[in-house]
Amino acid sequence: MNRKTLVMPAVLGLLAPVLAACGGSDEASGDGKPIVIGTTDAFVSTSDYPAPFDPALAYEAGAWNILRNTFQTLMALPRSGGDPVPEAAEKCGFSDQKNESYRCTLHGGMKFANGNDLTSEDVKFSVERTLSIKNPNGPVSLLANIDTVETPSDTEVVFHLKSPDATFPHKLATPAAAIVDKDSYDGTKLREGFAIDGSGPYTIDTQEEKGEVVSAVFNKNPNYRGNLKLKNDKVEMRFYSDSGAMEKALQKGSIDLMTRTMSPDQVDRLERGSSENIELKEMPGQEIRYLAFDTNDSTTGKKAVRQAVAQVVDRQALVRDVYERTAEPLYSIVPSSVGSHVNSFFNKYGDPDVTEARKTLREGGVDTPVELNLTYTTDHYGSATAKEFKTLQAQLNRSGLFDVSVKGVPWKKFRPAQSNREYAAYGMGWFPDFPDPDNFIDPFFAKDNFLNSPYRNDTIRTQLIPQTRQQAQRTAAAEDFEKAQDIVADDVPVLPLWQGKQYVAARDDITGVEWALNSSSVLQLWELSRGIGA
């Protein structure tokens, strides 16, 4: 079978059954041979990040892909994305007109993989634990609007919110609300290492060397009781230091499938047919990349400097020269594939204009050239990141308005330093927690934001975000979301650069690959099975 690229259009989700469980056969492949997945994600236990798989700390796409397959949440995204549906719960819904009280009923007779009973008390414990630990690098902001949690019975749990929030069901579908065993986790501190006690579709066995995971085996959880149907009994995940080594393993047959992160040249090579036994699948995605600025820094704290950067950066050239066809220019913090998107940065700054940037700096009383250091992570977003920052450096320096240096730092050092505000300007990526514009506004601009940014805008924080959350019909919130995007374009606490597509490459005997990732980049291991190659 000749290799081919299959593009999975977003409209396909409209034709799919609501639950991820309902497509195809419910039979799990039983030949005993695990499906092997390659990835460049790295999981290291350090003093700054001691518990990579603890739901109270984990808050990045790679770790969440582990958690989504080993823990349960009350709600879950269906296979194609969209509104969440019950998973550990039989049913959930708001019990008031103001979207301030949310009630769920769990399946009866639930157990964790270790055999312990799972009740509403475990749900309450899990949520209150994350709120109590309140790790600054964790997902606590997603649960911060919870006021109290009640458990009327072993199968009922009620969340009382501090303020209305129509997006709350989406938040319960994220690993921030993963249900942990109250008898295995401490309620006041993180669980160090890589052990997991969950009730999800798989259990996990990890192999570690020097505090780093080198492989992980996912075995079907016999105690799993939820709405997913597993199409395999075992999946193995292997971790590679770079995408080149991962591709070689796929070509040799050492692995069956590779996903994040593939370089643009790999995508191009596979698309052109470098192997007749490998298929490349392209799927819609909502990944974004952006520059973030410390608005308290002596240089980037000046609005004129940030605006001048926005006026000089050429996104079209960036995606052409670095990412080819695998990315598209992005002119808002909300990607174009999400509702309420507006091209706020293009509307304000238009095409790159050095003359206007020079005027902005002059009117802001800023001497040129502006010395600026851009920091990026070397091993978290793919091998093309270094070239991306060299390209940004060249664009800014070529204007004559900036004297830019760039520095690459490994993720295990980069993330804590970024959170501690040690960088004036730095590159970050964002894979959405859920497909709603709220998730591209609140995590960056709320009080306890994901970046630990000092930037504050009271209009966004106290008016626009609360107003949008009162709208159960999300299209009714569009005007407020557009206002927030315009404010961001004017203040430039972050500078959106590009929006990515998703790719999976797999050997031709692996089926279900088209559902391996949903629109929010969730890795759905349960969809994969082994068929017959041609």
Side-chain angles (χ1 to χ4, degrees), residues 121-142:
E121 285 297 326
D122 293 287
V123 177
K124 175 182 170 71
F125 170 84
S126 302
V127 168
E128 292 180 343
R129 175 177 181 269
T130 295
L131 290 171
S132 174
I133 292 174
K134 200 177 181 180
N135 190 282
N137 293 323
V140 64
S141 60
L142 289 171

Side-chain angles (χ1 to χ4, degrees), residues 27 29 35 231-232 509-512 525 527-531:
E27 294 293 326
S29 55
I35 295 170
K231 299 189 174 79
N232 59 70
D509 64 334
I510 302 301
T511 63
L525 298 182
E527 294 284 357
L528 301 173
S529 61
R530 193 180 298 279

Side-chain angles (χ1 to χ4, degrees), residues 264-265 314-327 384 387-388 390-392 394-395 398:
D265 63 299
D314 188 341
R315 297 170 178 81
Q316 295 281 355
L318 181 68
V319 299
R320 180 193 66 224
D321 298 341
V322 180
Y323 291 101
E324 303 172 24
R325 59 178 289 279
T326 65
K387 184 177 180 181
E388 174 183 350
K390 288 292 186 182
T391 302
L392 289 171
Q395 289 183 1
R398 196 161 49 238

Side-chain angles (χ1 to χ4, degrees), residues 48 136-137 294 413-423 426 451-452:
D48 290 319
N137 293 323
D294 181 351
K413 294 182 179 179
F414 175 91
R415 178 65 170 124
Q418 171 271 313
S419 184
N420 289 331
R421 302 179 185 173
E422 296 178 19
Y423 305 136
Y426 53 93
L451 296 173
N452 192 30

